[in-house]
Amino acid sequence: MKKNISSVRNCYGCLACVDRCPVKCISLSQTELGHVVPNVNENKCIDCQACQKVCPDIAENNFMNPKIAIAAWRKNEIERLESSSGGLATVIAEKIIEEGGVVYGCSFISPFGFKHIRCETVGQLSMLRGSKYVQSLTDGIYKEIANDLKNNKKVLFIGTPCQVAGVKNFNKRAKELYTIDLICHGIPSIKLLKESLPKEILSKKITNVKFRESVNYKFSLQCDDKNIYSRLISQDLYLKAFFTGLDYRDSCYVCAFANEKRVSDLTLGDFWGLKTDISKSEKEKGISLCLVNSENGNYLMDLVGDEIEKIIRPIEEAIAGNHQLRHPKEKNLRTKIFRRVYPYLGFKHAVILSLPDIYIKNKLFR
């Protein structure tokens, strides 16, 4: 057997292998559900095992126990409301750039794609703002990150835990690499998102996609900061499929990163189940859950100390409010129905047949 990623059982789609291959024998294709997967040209493979050394499914990942849990939010209320939760990721990214560093994170790319990009100015960070419940392509950025680190730049990478693992495996022993993982439910594909939209909308000029507004789940498409299409979660089949776990990558259902132990310096998400006397109106503005997992994580929190409000909370409380910090979403009957029906009836009808009770309830009580 060739010593390459052909032996991977649970591909996370991090694409670190594509950048690492010295002979460029790894190309990309899509599964039936549109999930991007790497394919090895066995005739060109030289058995160097470079791809295996960066693969999160094969390589040994350095898991860490969280040191502390924090409920935090940005003091600047305008900037806070522009973010998905408490605005912590944005303010950290700003501080890294102010120190001469660069930031990598997921951005919407016109006409309709999602990809990790490199930001070297504070102004560019607006492209990373907001939750994105879809696969972000990362091929190409691993070499960029390695080059920045070689040039002694501070690098902040923000992504899913498996993407963080790919970046860290690619850049072992890098002292100026700082990582933030976003608590991840699972990853649907861009193909399914596009199929959930009216065809006439996709023909329009789209400059941004929003999956939520602060803590409110509302899908919208924008053209030059103006909404040209929107759906509440009660009307949005894509978000329903996402939150019920119908259409993730196969690896998401057995994800090795969906547990208490983390691979990044900081873990960020929404602090669901926060048990403090913070007012309801304050919570509605968004509060970040932050798990500090390393000394580099302490450094990042020290950077933003004057910019945020924070409350130390028990780690157990943070974990209790986010099942993804305990276990991955499991495949169930709904998942099986969706996957069986989708090839024949398409996205919309596959979701409706998989979630008939939820669909009818929303129709009756809209």
Side-chain angles (χ1 to χ4, degrees):
M1 179 181 292
K2 289 281 189 178
K3 297 177 181 179
N4 57 45
I5 52 149
S6 296
S7 59
V8 170
R9 296 183 60 188
N10 298 304
C11 174
Y12 291 99
C14 75
L15 308 184
C17 57
V18 178
D19 276 19
R20 177 55 78 194
C21 180
V23 295
K24 298 181 180 180
C25 73
I26 302 177
S27 59
L28 301 178
S29 63
Q30 290 186 7
T31 67
E32 189 170 48
L33 292 181
H35 296 298
V36 176
V37 292
N39 296 291
V40 179
N41 182 333
E42 300 288 359
N43 294 325
K44 293 178 63 177
C45 178
I46 58 174
D47 280 347
C48 66
Q49 296 183 272
C51 58
Q52 291 187 342
K53 293 176 181 176
V54 298
C55 175
D57 188 53
I58 298 177
E60 184 176 350
N61 301 298
N62 181 28
F63 287 97
M64 299 168 284
N65 290 309
K67 299 177 182 293
I68 192 172
I70 301 171
W73 60 95
R74 190 168 191 172
K75 291 179 181 178
N76 184 318
E77 191 163 302
I78 295 175
E79 295 291 339
R80 176 185 180 186
L81 293 175
E82 285 292 320
S83 302
S84 295
S85 52
L88 195 52
T90 300
V91 70
I92 292 172
E94 289 173 1
K95 291 297 184 182
I96 288 291
I97 286 179
E98 287 171 7
E99 292 209 337
V102 294
V103 178
Y104 290 81
C106 177
S107 172
F108 173 77
I109 303 295
S110 188
F112 203 92
F114 295 83
K115 186 173 177 61
H116 266 63
I117 63 170
R118 180 182 186 272
C119 297
E120 57 183 7
T121 68
V122 170
Q124 292 172 321
L125 294 176
S126 62
M127 296 186 289
L128 310 185
R129 184 172 275 154
S131 298
K132 300 175 180 69
Y133 304 131
V134 68
Q135 177 85 56
S136 173
L137 297 180
T138 51
D139 53 311
I141 63 139
Y142 295 94
K143 290 182 178 179
E144 287 190 78
I145 291 173
N147 187 60
D148 282 329
L149 292 169
K150 183 179 179 181
N151 291 325
N152 299 314
K153 282 186 173 290
K154 284 186 172 69
V155 173
L156 173 64
F157 177 85
I158 306 171
T160 61
C162 54
Q163 290 172 338
V164 168
V167 168
K168 293 181 73 173
N169 290 339
F170 202 99
N171 299 282
K172 292 184 182 295
R173 297 179 294 279
K175 294 181 180 179
E176 295 288 6
L177 174 63
Y178 301 88
T179 56
I180 294 176
D181 81 84
L182 306 173
I183 298 174
C184 179
H185 293 260
I187 302 295
S189 70
I190 297 173
K191 175 188 177 184
L192 296 181
L193 176 58
K194 291 175 71 173
E195 287 184 19
S196 76
L197 299 170
K199 291 183 179 179
E200 61 270 20
I201 288 296
L202 289 173
S203 65
K204 296 180 180 296
K205 179 186 176 183
I206 300 170
T207 57
N208 195 21
V209 177
K210 289 188 175 182
F211 293 85
R212 55 190 278 188
E213 296 178 0
S214 189
V215 296
N216 299 310
Y217 293 97
K218 180 183 178 181
F219 179 85
S220 62
L221 301 177
Q222 296 181 311
C223 176
D224 299 327
D225 296 326
K226 293 182 179 180
N227 281 0
I228 59 174
Y229 179 79
S230 65
R231 303 183 299 215
L232 297 173
I233 188 171
S234 60
Q235 305 164 341
D236 194 302
L237 293 179
Y238 181 82
L239 288 178
K240 290 185 189 304
F242 173 74
F243 285 114
T244 53
L246 296 185
D247 52 4
Y248 302 159
R249 298 181 68 92
D250 286 337
S251 57
C252 296
Y253 301 103
V254 291
C255 179
F257 303 94
N259 60 72
E260 178 180 338
K261 294 185 177 182
R262 315 307 296 167
V263 292
S264 65
D265 300 312
L266 292 181
T267 296
L268 298 183
D270 296 286
F271 207 129
W272 304 119
L274 178 60
K275 298 176 181 178
T276 69
D277 57 0
I278 296 174
S279 67
K280 180 180 178 182
S281 62
E282 196 69 63
K283 290 181 180 179
E284 288 176 348
K285 296 173 186 176
I287 295 180
S288 295
L289 161 62
C290 176
L291 297 179
V292 182
N293 309 316
S294 70
E295 288 304 314
N296 273 2
N298 284 327
Y299 169 78
L300 294 176
M301 293 305 290
D302 288 342
L303 273 183
V304 298
D306 295 334
E307 302 279 347
I308 65 170
E309 300 283 358
K310 63 180 182 179
I311 303 172
I312 307 301
R313 301 303 302 163
I315 292 174
E316 294 76 18
E317 180 179 282
I319 293 172
N322 286 273
H323 76 78
Q324 302 90 345
L325 296 177
R326 303 192 303 276
H327 55 77
K329 186 80 173 179
E330 295 181 358
K331 282 186 179 180
N332 53 34
L333 180 58
R334 295 183 190 273
T335 313
K336 294 176 181 177
I337 292 173
F338 176 82
R339 290 173 176 243
R340 183 64 63 87
V341 172
Y342 169 76
Y344 302 100
L345 299 181
F347 180 80
K348 177 181 178 179
H349 292 97
V351 174
I352 292 172
L353 289 173
S354 305
L355 308 172
D357 51 333
I358 297 174
Y359 181 75
I360 292 172
K361 179 181 177 181
N362 287 151
K363 281 290 186 181
L364 291 176
F365 297 103
R366 181 182 298 179

